[in-house]
Amino acid sequence: GENVEQHPSTLSVQEGDSAVIKCTYSDSASNYFPWYKQELGKRPQLIIDIRSNVGEKKDQRIAVTLNKTAKHFSLHITETQPEDSAVYFCAANLLHGGYQKVTFGTGTKLQVIP
Amino acid sequence: SAVISQKPSRDICQRGTSLTIQCQVDSQVTMMFWYRQQPGQSLTLIATANQGSEATYESGFVIDKFPISRPNLTFSTLTVSNMSPEDSSIYLCSVGAGSSYNEQFFGPGTRLTVL
């Protein structure tokens, strides 16, 4: 089955700096890679995603890159703000027997220091 | 995006009992999912629940322990049966959206504590 590794597990940055979170996946058939933000005590929320036919996608201060050959994808947050502090999860989505199977990474706790 | 609610939001249960968690969506959705998230951990998919078919369970999860119902396109239930303290966790439902139902939107979760 799919295995998704995520690094780092914790990340502290100064406000205004950039943050980068990296994930690798094992199954080359995975074709959709979402990122979720989960604030303490709240539900995960989809913040950005990328499909396997795209190399990069940007939405304001957030960008995601995908390298299919190397099977890794990254989340980039620029000009970080205290409200970016949360746990971020990457995921790899695989269509399997007509059903989707989403495998989540282990999460990165991001702390933005004012 | 769909508005998703779950009941109960939290519960404290005795070992050996069962709890049924409800997930209600304000629009019809094809794919619904149930996840478990243990404290400080990632999300683990329990099963996929599509209306009109049996739920598909992931490795390590069985129907006898986690029976699921999906009676219509806006509702699903997950039962945690014969509970033990190891079942203490947050249980979340989600719905698949987008052209391939890839995008998932989560309910608020049910925090379960088993004594």
Side-chain angles (χ1 to χ4, degrees):
Chain A
E2 176 69 279
N3 181 47
V4 178
E5 295 188 357
Q6 183 171 347
H7 299 281
S9 57
T10 61
L11 179 60
S12 291
V13 299
Q14 291 290 331
E15 181 178 358
D17 288 350
S18 295
V20 180
I21 302 171
K22 298 182 179 182
C23 289
T24 61
Y25 61 99
S26 60
D27 195 326
S28 56
S30 290
N31 59 2
Y32 174 72
F33 306 92
W35 287 87
Y36 292 86
K37 175 183 180 182
Q38 187 174 31
E39 297 176 12
L40 188 63
K42 297 191 176 181
R43 73 189 81 185
Q45 291 194 307
L46 178 66
I47 56 171
I48 195 167
D49 56 17
I50 190 166
R51 301 185 185 275
S52 59
N53 58 350
V54 175
E56 184 174 358
K57 183 176 179 181
K58 188 174 182 180
D59 183 4
Q60 298 183 333
R61 295 186 297 109
I62 295 174
V64 59
T65 59
L66 171 65
N67 183 326
K68 286 174 56 180
T69 303
K71 289 188 281 198
H72 67 70
F73 55 113
S74 301
L75 177 71
H76 304 252
I77 306 174
T78 59
E79 301 172 26
T80 54
Q81 301 168 2
E83 50 266 37
D84 294 329
S85 297
V87 178
Y88 291 81
F89 293 99
C90 64
N93 188 312
L94 173 68
L95 282 175
H96 177 73
Y99 292 89
Q100 293 185 48
K101 181 168 182 176
V102 182
T103 304
F104 282 79
T106 48
T108 296
K109 184 175 182 179
L110 173 64
Q111 181 184 19
V112 179
I113 303 167
Chain B
S1 61
V3 176
I4 307 165
S5 60
Q6 283 184 236
K7 289 183 182 179
S9 59
R10 59 178 63 224
D11 207 341
I12 301 173
C13 301
Q14 296 296 321
R15 101 178 31 230
T17 63
S18 298
L19 177 72
T20 295
I21 302 167
Q22 299 179 7
C23 181
Q24 181 75 54
V25 190
D26 70 342
S27 58
Q28 293 185 341
V29 294
T30 300
M31 302 191 79
M32 293 182 75
F33 307 87
W34 286 98
Y35 287 86
R36 182 172 72 184
Q37 185 175 32
Q38 294 178 316
Q41 302 296 312
S42 185
L43 295 97
T44 301
L45 180 63
I46 297 172
T48 301
N50 292 338
Q51 197 266 338
S53 62
E54 294 290 325
T56 301
Y57 289 83
E58 297 302 312
S59 176
F61 298 97
V62 296
I63 188 171
D64 289 346
K65 176 68 175 177
F66 297 101
I68 287 171
S69 78
R70 182 80 200 275
N72 56 54
L73 291 174
T74 64
F75 188 76
S76 179
T77 67
L78 169 76
T79 299
V80 186
S81 303
N82 188 25
M83 288 184 287
S84 66
E86 293 71 38
D87 294 319
S88 297
S89 190
I90 296 172
Y91 292 84
L92 301 111
C93 66
S94 76
V95 303
S99 58
S100 302
Y101 311 111
N102 287 11
E103 301 166 24
Q104 292 198 23
F105 297 93
F106 287 85
T110 296
R111 182 180 293 272
L112 171 62
T113 301
V114 184
L115 303 177

